[in-house]
């Protein structure tokens, strides 16, 4: 599946609210929707200018709704055309610990993901991220037009 608009992506992200994590417990730190919001919020605090990194943290749960393949690969394939190669690369490579060693972005993403698993705080709502997603998609489409 290839996402063609921010609206399609938002629909998928909203659909993640009902998903259960691997441990089957929803609503707490393991809730995929809440975890993604907390991860993105932590990245926004630590790296406020890096919208692509923030978005990579936000979109990670959508792969659970897509088939076949690994969730990270599915997410990367779905969001890459919309949000760009860097977001797709970050999402795809975060599932491979051997890739983290020499990539500061992956280390930041992984640290935020780990912290978001244990720290429960009000990370806002998904709608707060619509503008960031739109800006990232618009930037990607301008860059894609140049290629």
């Amino acid at each position: 599946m290839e996402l063609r608009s921010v609206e399609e992506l938002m629909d998928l992200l909203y659909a993640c609210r009902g998903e259960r994590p691997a441990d089957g417990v929803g609503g707490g730190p393991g809730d995929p929707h809440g975890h993604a919001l907390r991860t993105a919020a932590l990245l926004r605090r630590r790296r406020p200018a890096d919208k692509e990194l923030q978005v990579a943290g936000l979109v990670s749960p959508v792969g659970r709704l897509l088939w076949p393949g690994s969730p990270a690969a599915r997410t990367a394939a779905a969001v890459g055309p919309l949000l760009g190669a860097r977001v797709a690369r970050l999402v795809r490579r975060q599932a491979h610990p051997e890739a983290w060693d020499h990539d500061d972005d992956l280390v930041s993403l992984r640290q935020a993901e780990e912290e978001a698993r244990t720290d429960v705080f009000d990370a806002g709502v998904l709608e707060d991220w619509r503008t960031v997603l739109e800006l990232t998609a618009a930037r990607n489409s301008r860059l894609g037009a140049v290629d």
Side-chain angles (χ1 to χ4, degrees), residues 14 35 52 56 78 82 100 116 134:
Y14 276 116
H35 179 257
E52 290 176 334
L82 180 65
W100 305 339
E134 288 171 345

Side-chain angles (χ1 to χ4, degrees), residues 16-116:
C16 291
R17 287 187 299 190
E19 284 296 298
R20 296 271 186 203
D23 63 8
V25 179
D31 170 43
H33 178 77
H35 179 257
L37 287 173
R38 289 188 302 276
T39 299
L42 288 167
L43 290 165
R44 180 183 273 173
R45 289 179 196 160
R46 293 176 186 158
R47 308 251 307 258
D50 196 343
K51 303 302 182 207
E52 290 176 334
L53 182 61
Q54 296 165 25
V55 166
L58 180 68
V59 301
S60 61
V62 301
R64 300 168 196 229
L65 302 176
L66 307 172
W67 301 97
S70 76
R74 291 190 300 253
T75 302
V79 303
L82 180 65
L83 300 175
R86 180 169 178 242
V87 173
R89 179 185 61 82
L90 288 167
V91 169
R92 184 175 31 259
R93 292 185 71 203
Q94 75 186 27
H96 302 286
E98 66 277 3
W100 305 339
D101 291 339
H102 303 290
D103 190 326
D104 290 340
D105 294 338
L106 284 172
V107 170
S108 294
L109 180 57
R110 193 63 185 167
Q111 287 173 341
E113 282 188 334
E114 288 301 317
E115 189 174 332

